[in-house]
Each structure stands twice: as C-alpha cells, then as structure tokens.
Amino acid sequence: MILAGRDKRRDKPRAANTFLKAMRGIVPTLNAKLLTGANDDARFLGWTEDELVRFEAKWPVGTRQRLAFDLSLHSGFRRGDAVKIGRQHVRSGEPSKTGDVVPRPILRMLAESIAAPPTGDLTCIISEQGRAFTKESYGN
C-alpha cells in the first residue's frame, strides 16, 4: 500500500517523498526508499573570495545590488528576513527584527550601505518601482 502510494506519485518525486515521509509517522516503511528528482544534485555554492571582490568592484555602495549583497553577507539574515529589515530596525548599533535584537553589531560595510541611497521608508532593499521585495522576488 505504501509503495503503491509512492509509485502513484512517481512523476513528481517531491510529492512522492512527502507522501512517504508522512506515512513514516503512521506505519513502518522499512522497504520504501525516497525517490530522486531531476535537481536533487543541484545545490547552492558559496562564493569564492575572487567572486566577492569582483561583485564589490562592479556594484559600488549606493546601488541596490550592493545593498542586497552587503545585507546578505554581513548580517547573516535569511532572504525572508533581509527583505523586511528597515532603518527602523537599527537601534544602538544592532539590527532588530520583530523586537528581537540580533546579538552582533552592524559591521561598518553594512552600515555604510544602509546609510547610502536608495533605500525605502520601511525596508532597506526596494525594487526599481520603489516597493519592498518579497522573499521570492528578492531571490530572483
């Protein structure tokens, strides 16, 4: 029954695996293996030092690209948090989100990027239309 349910979803490996993982919480699934998908071997790679230097050379402080780069690199925020951070969250030299203070100071490079235009009223990173990004559009 479990294998049949997984195999019924074989054309969508992630759906098949989600089904299998849900079933593991209910019944034993010893012989049922997770399926592999077309992009399972794809992964996000870290940037090399040379790539960081080239990006900084191409996009100077004051550009939206550099602000996004500095915010991501020097804050440690996930993209979903990076798009929500605004000047109102910067207090006493430490960024804050939803009232929680992040236990590290803002690095000089990040502070310079936040201080330089263009930034929005409520979020640091804004689109060309002057609106805040969603985490999905920020990733693009």
Side-chain angles (χ1 to χ4, degrees):
M1 177 176 109
I2 301 299
L3 292 175
R6 180 201 65 186
D7 292 341
K8 184 173 117 179
R9 297 164 176 84
R10 185 171 288 282
D11 62 324
K12 296 183 180 176
R14 293 204 195 301
N17 291 340
T18 299
F19 168 79
L20 186 56
K21 290 173 186 177
M23 291 296 104
R24 286 182 173 164
I26 301 170
V27 296
T29 58
L30 298 174
N31 295 328
K33 304 285 185 222
L34 295 176
L35 300 180
T36 57
N39 295 323
D40 282 356
D41 61 345
R43 56 194 171 108
F44 291 103
L45 300 175
W47 288 24
T48 65
E49 187 69 31
D50 181 57
E51 290 169 328
L52 296 173
V53 169
R54 286 187 306 160
F55 189 94
E56 289 174 328
K58 181 172 181 169
W59 302 106
V61 171
T63 61
R64 178 178 30 269
Q65 293 83 353
R66 181 59 174 270
L67 176 57
F69 172 84
D70 285 340
L71 191 57
S72 296
L73 183 66
H74 300 303
S75 73
F77 288 130
R78 299 172 299 181
R79 68 179 178 162
D81 294 328
V83 298
K84 296 176 186 174
I85 297 301
R87 293 175 193 234
Q88 73 276 15
H89 296 112
V90 178
R91 296 187 187 100
S92 304
E94 295 182 349
S96 170
K97 58 178 187 173
T98 65
D100 298 330
V101 175
V102 177
R104 62 183 164 273
I106 292 180
L107 298 173
R108 180 187 50 79
M109 294 82 69
L110 178 54
E112 289 173 1
S113 283
I114 291 173
T119 59
D121 293 329
L122 298 176
T123 61
C124 290
I125 303 171
I126 55 172
S127 69
E128 290 176 350
Q129 294 78 28
R131 293 189 301 261
F133 282 93
T134 64
K135 72 176 181 178
E136 293 81 13
S137 62
Y138 179 68
N140 291 336

